Amino acid sequence: MVDARRFHVIAGLGKTGISVARYLRSRGVAFAVTDTRAQPPGVDQLREIAPDAECKFGALDAELLAKAEVIVLSPGLALAEPAIAAARSRGAQVIGDIELFVQVARAPIIAITGSNGKSTVTMLTGHLLNQAGKRALVGGNIGTPVLDLLEQPVPDYYVLELSSFQLETTYGLRAAAATVLNISEDHMDRYASLTAYAEAKARIYHHANVAVFNADDRETRRDFDRAHRHVAFAIHHSNAEYRVEHLNGRRWLTVGEQAFADLEHLPIQGEHNAANVLAAVALCEAVGVKAEKMRDGLRSFKGLPHRCVLVREHASVRYYNDSKATNVGAALAAISGIGPVITGKLVMIAGGDAKGQDLLPLTSALAHYARAVVLLGRDAERVSAVVPDSVTQEFVDSIEEAVTAAAALAEPGDAVLLSPACASLDMFRNYEERGDRFARAVELLP
């Protein structure tokens, strides 16, 4: 529980920092705020919440942090930041907003992480629970900051998307059900190795009642024995409790011996989304909601913006917005999800900030499914280096130029896929802006 006698410093403002400030002020806790940015987002809100709070902006203030007994660290700041590391060495406790939340949450928590698909699974899990007659609140790394969820009546379940950054500063999580959906290279600019990244994700299983792991991805088994029990979902592993089976020429999602949903009738398509659905169903069953109660919810779930969304079909070419694919694993999921279901080839738009990832896994997928790749952004040349010789390449300077170029390269039956495999911040405010501009350009095609 938060101790009002201890002096807190919020390191990093923005949406999460504001929620922390609101929470601490409501509990009478004295705090100060520091941020690396000279004008961090949320300053005006902070002045309304705590006009007397000391603020130091433009760099993490070492003097302020030296006085801190508890540092509430933004997910955007690393524990390895010199000022944070120095404060820890002096005995300061460093936690995140998730740790504050789990100390006081009065409903079971379903916790979801992974390199790709976690937002879809989080929203789908909340949707399935609500459609089954339970009351679920969704938040964390998506949508509402967790501490703001406490302002609403206590639900039956909290469904939380958690990033590896958030899990690094969380110690008291005891999830009713937890999953690591998959592991692929991401945030390699912050982690020394894929192992270090996977270990951060695996913290979600510690003390969980049920660990839901991906039998197709060995990395998701890491630490699963730290949970009381575990169950598996899989697309390609026939022994998993939650799996895909071929029955009478069709593919069915199956739980145990029960085939409960025809893949062709799901509103979200692609093999990656089949895995997402299985994970969500497994999480719901782990907290007592049976699969047969989820059929209506599965049929009514429409997916999330910027995640393999069909924008338009124009001149017999489909245009998909998958701007949320900010890493290689997400792009591979989109390629393997859409490539097999179209009659033609993919024209892919890729590039941006590669965040130190290994891009080489793209090569074989592009060789199999792609006609052309349109490249833009800071690491366009790095992406270009892994495109096979059989695939046409074209460089552009803007997303609008990319759409025009892709339209010219595409043939009837093809799909133009914005799935950048890179972060967006080198050219855009966020992946949403990148996706919105792509969609506008597609709608304007003559």
Side-chain angles (χ1 to χ4, degrees):
M1 300 289 286
V2 66
D3 187 346
R5 296 169 299 178
R6 303 175 77 192
F7 180 60
H8 289 58
V9 171
I10 300 171
L13 200 50
K15 196 161 136 180
T16 298
I18 287 297
S19 72
V20 173
R22 188 182 297 112
Y23 174 81
L24 294 179
R25 176 49 58 103
S26 72
R27 283 154 177 76
V29 178
F31 66 87
V33 182
T34 185
D35 197 293
T36 58
R37 297 163 290 189
Q39 287 294 323
V43 171
D44 292 340
Q45 286 176 274
L46 177 64
R47 296 303 183 198
E48 293 177 7
I49 295 165
D52 56 340
E54 184 179 3
C55 300
K56 298 289 186 180
F57 299 146
L60 294 181
D61 190 84
E63 185 177 340
L64 198 58
L65 292 170
K67 296 189 292 184
E69 295 172 271
V70 180
I71 298 170
V72 186
L73 189 66
S74 164
L77 294 170
L79 284 166
E81 287 275 350
I84 301 299
R88 290 180 78 192
S89 70
R90 288 191 294 269
Q93 181 185 16
V94 181
I95 60 175
D97 67 316
I98 306 301
E99 179 62 22
L100 289 173
F101 176 82
V102 301
Q103 291 173 3
V104 298
R106 290 163 49 205
I109 294 170
I110 298 172
I112 297 158
T113 195
S115 299
N116 306 300
K118 56 185 176 292
S119 294
T120 295
V121 173
T122 301
M123 295 302 294
L124 175 57
T125 301
H127 178 79
L128 292 175
L129 290 170
N130 285 312
Q131 292 295 304
K134 303 296 183 180
R135 183 166 178 269
L137 293 179
V138 175
N141 195 48
I142 181 175
T144 307
V146 289
L147 293 172
D148 289 349
L149 296 177
L150 297 173
E151 298 174 7
Q152 302 185 48
V154 177
D156 295 309
Y157 303 101
Y158 291 109
V159 184
L160 306 184
E161 175 186 324
L162 301 179
S163 70
S164 57
F165 302 159
Q166 289 171 314
L167 287 162
E168 286 177 344
T169 54
T170 301
Y171 307 94
L173 175 64
R174 284 163 171 75
T179 187
V180 180
L181 298 170
N182 45 62
I183 294 290
S184 62
E185 281 200 355
D186 198 8
H187 305 298
M188 290 297 101
D189 50 349
R190 182 146 155 180
Y191 291 99
S193 66
L194 183 65
T195 297
Y197 170 61
E199 287 174 346
K201 294 281 193 189
R203 290 171 63 91
I204 204 167
Y205 291 144
H206 297 187
H207 311 294
N209 187 42
V210 181
V212 176
F213 72 97
N214 183 349
D216 294 328
D217 186 338
R218 292 189 60 83
E219 281 291 349
T220 71
R221 299 170 184 247
R222 184 184 298 272
D223 283 2
F224 74 167
D225 56 355
R226 299 285 294 271
H228 293 297
R229 65 184 181 91
H230 48 74
V231 296
F233 71 94
I235 299 297
H236 305 295
H237 200 290
S238 61
N239 292 328
E241 177 74 7
Y242 300 84
R243 62 192 183 277
V244 173
E245 286 198 357
H246 294 263
L247 300 171
N248 300 319
R250 304 177 79 87
R251 300 177 78 205
W252 288 77
L253 300 181
T254 304
V255 177
E257 301 305 315
Q258 177 190 8
F260 74 96
D262 185 339
L263 276 177
E264 288 188 14
H265 295 157
L266 294 179
I268 54 174
Q269 291 291 301
E271 193 168 88
H272 58 306
N273 277 322
N276 290 338
V277 171
L278 288 169
V281 170
L283 289 166
C284 291
E285 285 218 320
V287 297
V289 178
K290 294 300 182 183
E292 56 264 24
K293 293 188 176 181
M294 302 182 213
R295 288 193 178 93
D296 289 344
L298 286 175
R299 285 192 288 265
S300 61
F301 184 71
K302 302 303 182 187
L304 302 182
H306 308 289
R307 293 160 177 84
C308 276
V309 176
L310 177 62
V311 176
R312 182 188 183 191
E313 184 166 345
H314 175 66
S316 298
V317 175
R318 291 187 168 196
Y319 291 78
Y320 289 92
N321 171 11
D322 190 42
S323 184
K324 181 63 168 65
T326 58
N327 60 56
V328 169
L332 289 173
I335 294 168
S336 63
I338 294 174
V341 301
I342 59 175
T343 58
K345 291 279 193 176
L346 292 174
V347 177
M348 189 165 164
I349 299 174
D353 178 2
K355 301 179 291 183
Q357 300 174 90
D358 177 9
L359 300 173
L360 195 59
L362 290 170
T363 302
S364 60
L366 292 173
H368 193 67
Y369 292 113
R371 181 184 307 285
V373 179
V374 180
L375 299 148
L376 75 166
R378 177 188 301 163
D379 289 321
E381 291 285 355
R382 284 197 60 212
V383 180
S384 171
V386 303
V387 176
D389 292 340
S390 59
V391 176
T392 300
Q393 299 187 47
E394 187 167 334
F395 289 83
V396 296
D397 294 322
S398 71
I399 195 70
E400 290 78 15
E401 289 181 28
V403 170
T404 301
L409 290 163
E411 298 180 7
D414 285 355
V416 171
L417 172 64
L418 170 66
S419 194
C422 296
S424 59
L425 299 180
D426 59 324
M427 295 179 68
F428 307 93
R429 288 192 304 274
N430 46 44
Y431 73 81
E432 292 95 338
E433 183 195 5
R434 176 169 64 187
D436 288 341
R437 283 177 54 182
F438 168 80
R440 283 197 298 273
V442 169
E443 294 293 354
L444 292 172
L445 284 171

